[in-house]
Amino acid sequence: MTPGGDGSGFLVRIATGPADIEACFAVRKEVFVVEQRVAEDIEYDGRDERALHLLALREDGTPLGTARLLYGPEAADRTGGDPSVGSLGRLAVVASARGLGIGVALVRAVEEAARERGLTVVDLHAQSHALGFYERLGYAAYGPEFQDAGIAHRSMRRTLQRLA
């Protein structure tokens, strides 16, 4: 469990069990399907069963955000087949909870989970409007802009530092 910060009123943890996964999916549906109008068949891409999901919860248990980590063979098409690279994706924070540091806490929790699995790099496909957010967290964009689900994206990558 990763606290969101002093007095933040939320925590981030690995999703365990069907209720947690349903909470992750509910956040993704609210953000991607309803708010951003991504088709459900694109949003739920068949990788969720083998992914590691993280969930941000308010102290009362209300889901506020989610992210997922793909690694190993499941991430090969996103990582060039490099087993040391994980793929951060499906980062979503409900509109009412944005600006509270939940996105940062989710990214850092994904990085921690990646380190625990022996990964040394995290790659992601960022919506272009969010490049600054990821840059502030140490990610660097590479390659051209591309469309995914009708939304402009850029690939980004960060080499993970070993924690002392």
Side-chain angles (χ1 to χ4, degrees):
M1 226 181 278
T2 304
D6 296 332
S8 64
F10 71 91
L11 61 88
V12 174
R13 63 175 172 78
I14 292 174
T16 58
D20 280 357
I21 298 301
E22 286 179 29
C24 292
F25 286 1
V27 170
R28 285 171 46 186
K29 184 170 187 170
E30 182 177 333
V31 173
F32 296 125
V33 176
V34 175
E35 184 180 328
Q36 296 183 354
R37 298 186 177 148
V38 172
E40 284 191 63
D41 62 327
I42 294 173
E43 174 54 29
Y44 304 105
D45 61 4
R47 297 176 191 238
D48 289 311
E49 197 170 292
R50 294 171 299 282
L52 179 74
H53 298 270
L54 288 101
L55 180 60
L57 298 162
R58 191 169 33 220
E59 289 175 337
D60 67 4
T62 302
L64 300 174
T66 188
R68 77 176 184 189
L69 173 66
L70 299 173
Y71 59 98
E74 192 59 36
D77 65 323
R78 293 179 174 261
T79 63
D82 186 338
S84 69
V85 180
S87 178
L88 185 161
R90 303 307 197 258
L91 177 70
V93 176
V94 297
S96 63
R98 292 182 192 145
L100 302 176
I102 294 167
V104 171
L106 282 162
V107 170
R108 296 305 187 217
V110 166
E111 293 170 350
E112 180 181 331
R115 279 188 204 92
E116 289 171 356
R117 285 153 182 78
L119 306 176
T120 58
V121 175
V122 172
D123 201 80
L124 60 89
H125 293 166
Q127 292 183 6
S128 293
H129 70 84
L131 288 172
F133 167 78
Y134 290 108
E135 287 168 343
R136 287 188 296 278
L137 297 177
Y139 288 79
Y142 66 92
E145 187 173 79
F146 61 93
Q147 293 290 310
D148 187 5
I151 301 169
H153 284 71
R154 290 280 308 275
S155 295
M156 300 188 85
R157 180 169 279 208
R158 179 171 188 251
T159 300
L160 300 176
Q161 304 300 315
R162 289 283 162 209
L163 298 178

